[in-house]
């Protein structure tokens, strides 16, 4: 594994208060979290608890109101380079073909060279061969999100940030893309922050799962996931897997996000 | 690709058939009711006028076209950079934009006589009239296009590069293009109106002038001929823009086809 190019990410007592015309929104109260190079960390929490905010702050795209974030040991003050970003909406450019979309980070970033083999390999890995010259709107939702994944990975980022990347997909497609995501990630491990609000999804690929409370959010618990890889289609880990699922669900029930106390929300 | 299905043929043939039928009806009614020529000439009389005055119509059409092209070029040269500026500088958005909206409420046609006072009878007042009428739709649509950008797309761009130029060129501009072209299509219709109004008020050339002359001389057949040439001019310009749109945004044409045929491919 290319551990030397994987950056570490550290949140040190990070908080975020949005100030808008309609008033202040205390999104993140206080988050401290240390992610090692090459680690896959899932962040799970109820909607609106500031998960997206955490990723944007880690990428240096918005400023933290309190605390400090370090990427590769350096304090984050401006947009961090060589970061791969995947959002819930695929954000493909409709005026570019699949291949040209993949090359966007290369063309915009200007400084990196990507071999044709690398592109072809990525396209092949996610089963998009033959679609290189199609426009995004010719693709199904699952294919679009696969292209978005490849685009994020094309420059071999040191840090991969994914904000509910499977959230817009239907259940079956989601399973398929999960599988491809794991394959891609295992092929070229890099530090990954993976945001989701799906318990199962949070466990599936993660080394650790960070469980967040409701807004203003704190880290409730960090759960170590000790399962062999690859996981998506492997048999025999179901019981272990379910233990983690129940554990995380219990946390949410305890803090009132799930269960009888959550009825008023 | 498009297939010449029975339905498609019907969509083309039917409107043409309706128009032809109306023209025949017009011809028959005018003859049967003996409508005076200066009130409503029959289609064949209009056709005769088109042929008879063709040289005159042509040279005046060229003059009007020239005013439209110059005025429209100014519209494009002003509107799009202005829209870009408004997108980038929120101060302009908050100051300039409301002013523009208020100015838009002034009936611009009423300003035409003032232009004669200020700028005389040359090309300038006509060109300005074209500009004034076509400016607003383009600027508004362009601003809407630039502003409708998906902000996560800009986040992505910023995490890739510091270059605002590349972000503009590769993301913001193509994003806004469909809106810009919508603006261009609306504007060109207004540009034609602007040229005619400019010529109405003070001109010795152009289709607008010819219209007034024909009116004054009670040459109603020539008046109708002018209207036809003017309409054709408008349609031609509109088609030019549509063609340009197809060349500049091949993906957009494709998208329209897709939405028509109902959805993307599934796998
Ligand atoms: N730009 C913003 N301005 C004001 N409030 C915001 C902004 N972005 C997010 N928020 C608020 O901050 C909270 C956390 O947002 P977000 O990070 O998107 O949550 P999550 O991704 O966990 O659903 C939400 O309540 C949201 O309304
Ligand atoms: Mg979110």
């Amino acid at each position: 594994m290319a551990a030397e190019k994987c950056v570490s990410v550290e949140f040190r007592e990070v908080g975020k208060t949005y100030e808008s015309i309609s008033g202040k929104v205390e999104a993140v109260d206080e988050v401290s979290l240390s992610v090692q190079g090459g680690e896959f960390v899932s962040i799970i929490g109820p909607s609106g608890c500031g998960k997206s905010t955490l990723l944007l702050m880690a990428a240096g795209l918005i400023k933290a109101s309190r605390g400090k974030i370090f990427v590769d040991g350096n304090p984050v003050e401006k947009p961090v380079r060589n970061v791969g970003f995947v959002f819930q909406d695929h954000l493909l450019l409709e005026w570019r073909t699949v291949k040209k979309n993949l090359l966007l980070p290369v063309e915009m970033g200007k400084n990196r060279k990507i071999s044709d083999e690398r592109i072809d390999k990525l396209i092949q890995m996610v089963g998009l061969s033959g679609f290189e010259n199609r426009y995004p709107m010719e693709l199904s939702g699952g294919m679009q999100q696969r292209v978005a994944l490849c685009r994020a990975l094309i420059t071999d980022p040191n840090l991969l940030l994914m904000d509910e990347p499977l959230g817009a997909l239907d259940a079956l497609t989601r399973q398929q893309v999960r599988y491809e995501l794991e394959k891609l990630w295992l092929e070229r491990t890099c530090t990954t922050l993976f945001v989701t609000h799906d318990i199962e999804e949070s466990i599936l690929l993660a080394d650790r799962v960070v469980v967040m409370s409701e807004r203003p959010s704190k880290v409730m618990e960090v759960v170590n996931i000790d399962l062999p890889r690859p996981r998506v289609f492997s048999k025999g880990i179901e019981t272990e897997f379910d233990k983690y699922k129940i554990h995380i669900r219990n946390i949410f029930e305890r803090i009132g996000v799930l269960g009888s106390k959550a009825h008023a929300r | 690709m498009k297939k010449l299905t029975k339905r498609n043929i019907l969509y083309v043939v039917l409107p043409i058939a309706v128009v032809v039928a109306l023209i025949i009806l017009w011809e028959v009614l005018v003859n049967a009711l003996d409508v005076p020529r200066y009130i409503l000439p029959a289609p064949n009389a209009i056709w005769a006028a088109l042929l008879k005055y063709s040289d005159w119509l042509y040279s005046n059409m060229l003059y009007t076209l020239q005013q439209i092209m110059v005025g429209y070029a100014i519209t494009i040269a002003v509107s799009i950079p202005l829209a870009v500026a408004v997108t980038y500088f929120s101060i302009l958005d908050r100051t300039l934009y409301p002013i523009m909206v208020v100015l838009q409420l002034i009936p611009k046609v009423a300003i035409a006589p003032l232009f004669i006072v200020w700028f005389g009878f040359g090309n300038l007042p006509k060109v300005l009239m074209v500009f004034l009428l076509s400016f607003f739709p383009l600027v508004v649509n362009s601003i809407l296009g630039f502003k409708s950008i998906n902000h996560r797309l800009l986040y992505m761009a910023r995490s890739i590069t510091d270059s605002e130029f590349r972000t503009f060129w590769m993301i913001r501009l193509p994003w806004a293009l469909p809106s810009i072209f919508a603006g261009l299509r609306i504007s060109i219709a207004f540009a034609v109106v602007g040229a005619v109004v400019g010529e109405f008020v003070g001109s010795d050339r152009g289709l607008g002038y010819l219209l007034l002359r024909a009116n004054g001389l009670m040459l109603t057949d020539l008046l109708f001929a002018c209207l036809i040439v003017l309409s054709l001019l408008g349609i031609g310009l509109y088609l030019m823009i549509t063609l340009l749109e197809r060349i500049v945004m091949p993906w957009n044409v494709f998208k329209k086809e897709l939405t028509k045929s109902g959805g993307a491919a599934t796998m």
Side-chain angles (χ1 to χ4, degrees):
Chain A
M1 279 178 216
E4 77 278 357
K5 64 177 270 290
C6 291
V7 297
S8 61
V9 181
E10 193 187 344
F11 295 84
R12 212 177 277 170
E13 293 169 2
V14 173
K16 176 73 188 177
T17 306
Y18 284 106
E19 288 175 44
S20 60
I21 321 154
S22 48
K24 287 186 177 181
V25 178
E26 180 102 4
V28 179
D29 180 21
E30 191 197 309
V31 167
S32 292
L33 175 70
S34 194
V35 181
Q36 288 158 32
E39 222 184 346
F40 193 116
V41 171
S42 293
I43 299 171
I44 184 167
S47 179
C49 77
K51 303 183 292 295
S52 303
T53 304
L54 281 178
L55 290 197
L56 291 173
M57 289 192 295
L61 294 169
I62 58 176
K63 281 198 166 63
S65 312
R66 302 172 289 280
K68 263 201 161 353
I69 300 174
F70 299 85
V71 170
D72 206 17
N74 306 311
V76 172
E77 268 140 18
K78 54 183 195 328
V80 180
R81 287 287 165 259
N82 214 2
V83 167
F85 232 125
V86 188
F87 293 95
Q88 180 172 355
D89 38 350
H90 55 76
L91 295 183
L92 298 177
L93 306 179
E94 64 173 25
W95 54 91
R96 285 178 167 242
T97 59
V98 166
K99 186 159 184 178
K100 296 274 284 171
N101 261 293
L102 288 180
L103 286 171
L104 182 83
V106 184
E107 283 175 32
M108 278 189 88
K110 273 256 167 111
N111 41 10
R112 301 181 204 98
K113 278 227 156 41
I114 304 296
S115 67
D116 274 348
E117 291 96 85
R118 170 78 178 140
I119 300 165
D120 290 342
K121 189 175 178 205
L122 273 173
I123 288 178
Q124 211 182 342
M125 277 188 81
V126 296
L128 283 163
S129 306
F131 288 90
E132 294 90 337
N133 297 318
R134 299 290 191 93
Y135 285 109
M137 58 199 130
E138 292 179 86
L139 309 182
S140 65
M143 289 159 89
Q144 289 169 340
Q145 203 59 331
R146 288 183 183 107
V147 178
L149 271 175
C150 289
R151 179 180 60 186
L153 290 169
I154 194 121
T155 52
D156 278 328
N158 302 333
L159 176 61
L160 183 58
L161 302 173
M162 295 192 274
D163 193 354
E164 302 190 27
L166 311 174
L169 304 177
D170 63 82
L172 198 61
T173 313
R174 188 184 284 211
Q175 299 283 353
Q176 294 170 334
V177 180
R178 263 182 205 172
Y179 167 67
E180 256 125 30
L181 179 60
E182 181 171 32
K183 211 166 60 166
L184 285 169
W185 190 76
L186 288 176
E187 186 237 359
R188 222 163 266 238
T189 312
C190 61
T191 316
T192 302
L193 290 179
F194 180 90
V195 161
T196 178
H197 54 227
D198 184 290
I199 294 178
E200 195 169 309
E201 214 165 274
S202 72
I203 302 165
L204 204 59
L205 302 173
D207 293 308
R208 284 191 292 161
V209 178
V210 177
V211 184
M212 311 261 299
S213 69
E214 289 198 294
R215 184 171 61 85
S217 57
K218 282 184 187 311
V219 175
M220 294 314 294
E221 194 171 323
V222 179
V223 184
N224 286 308
I225 308 296
D226 198 9
L227 293 172
R229 288 200 162 91
R231 292 172 183 168
V232 176
F233 283 138
S234 58
K235 294 264 176 280
I237 62 170
E238 283 93 344
T239 43
E240 289 263 8
F241 194 88
D242 284 345
K243 269 200 292 195
Y244 290 118
K245 253 166 79 173
I246 292 161
H247 181 77
I248 292 172
R249 187 171 306 136
N250 284 340
I251 300 171
F252 282 133
E253 273 170 17
R254 202 171 62 231
I255 62 175
V257 173
L258 285 173
S260 54
K261 270 180 274 170
H263 68 276
R265 285 168 217 278
Chain B
M1 274 289 93
K2 227 183 244 174
K3 279 196 203 101
L4 277 178
T5 59
K6 261 186 192 166
R7 236 173 95 188
N8 278 335
I9 294 173
L10 208 65
Y11 278 133
V12 179
V13 170
L14 212 59
I16 294 176
V18 169
V19 170
V20 170
L22 282 176
I23 290 174
I24 291 172
L25 186 69
W26 178 354
E27 182 82 41
V28 170
L29 281 180
V30 165
N31 287 326
L33 302 174
D34 215 9
V35 180
R37 220 186 142 103
Y38 62 88
I39 291 182
L40 185 66
N44 88 60
I46 297 168
W47 178 248
L50 267 172
L51 295 180
K52 185 175 164 194
Y53 300 110
S54 60
D55 288 350
W56 211 18
L57 283 164
Y58 181 68
S59 61
N60 282 295
M61 189 270 286
L62 280 190
Y63 179 78
T64 303
L65 179 61
Q66 193 192 329
Q67 312 311 311
I68 294 173
M69 294 308 265
V70 175
Y72 196 58
I74 297 174
T75 291
I76 294 173
V78 173
S79 304
I80 295 178
L82 190 65
V84 173
V86 166
T87 329
Y88 275 100
F89 304 106
S90 53
I91 311 166
L92 288 182
D93 192 20
R94 263 172 270 151
T95 54
L96 217 61
Y97 193 64
I99 294 174
M100 280 189 330
V101 173
V102 171
L103 285 182
Q104 170 63 10
L105 296 173
I106 299 173
K108 288 169 291 299
V109 174
I111 300 176
L114 197 59
F115 278 6
I116 304 294
V117 176
W118 288 347
F119 308 114
F121 291 87
N123 294 349
L124 187 61
K126 286 126 208 161
V127 165
L128 277 179
M129 215 52 217
V130 171
F131 166 72
L132 212 60
L133 268 106
S134 61
F135 164 77
F136 197 72
L138 183 55
V139 90
V140 167
N141 275 282
S142 304
I143 290 174
L144 285 179
F146 282 118
K147 276 194 177 174
S148 70
I149 187 97
N150 184 331
H151 285 273
R152 281 185 296 279
L153 214 45
L154 294 181
Y155 278 142
M156 190 185 78
R158 263 204 284 148
S159 80
I160 295 172
T161 180
D162 287 330
S163 163
E164 192 44 59
F165 174 75
R166 261 175 268 151
T167 303
F168 178 78
W169 190 246
M170 294 173 145
I171 293 180
R172 282 186 190 264
L173 183 61
W175 179 278
L177 273 180
S179 273
I180 293 176
F181 268 99
L184 284 172
R185 268 185 270 124
I186 302 169
S187 281
I188 196 70
F190 279 99
V192 175
V193 176
V196 172
V197 169
E199 289 166 2
F200 270 178
V201 179
S203 187
D204 53 2
R205 267 173 298 172
L207 288 171
Y209 156 77
L210 204 56
L211 262 172
L212 281 194
R213 271 301 290 276
N215 198 33
L217 298 171
M218 298 253 262
L219 293 172
T220 313
D221 51 354
L222 175 59
L223 199 151
F224 270 91
C226 279
L227 276 179
I228 289 174
V229 173
L230 210 48
S231 306
L232 289 178
L233 185 65
I235 293 170
L237 288 168
Y238 185 89
L239 288 178
M240 291 256 299
I241 300 218
T242 311
L243 184 70
L244 191 68
E245 186 177 0
R246 276 174 180 256
I247 295 167
V248 176
M249 303 191 299
W251 73 88
N252 204 45
V253 177
F254 185 80
K255 183 167 143 194
K256 281 180 193 162
E257 297 243 324
L258 255 185
T259 40
K260 241 188 281 172
S261 69
T266 43
M267 205 173 109

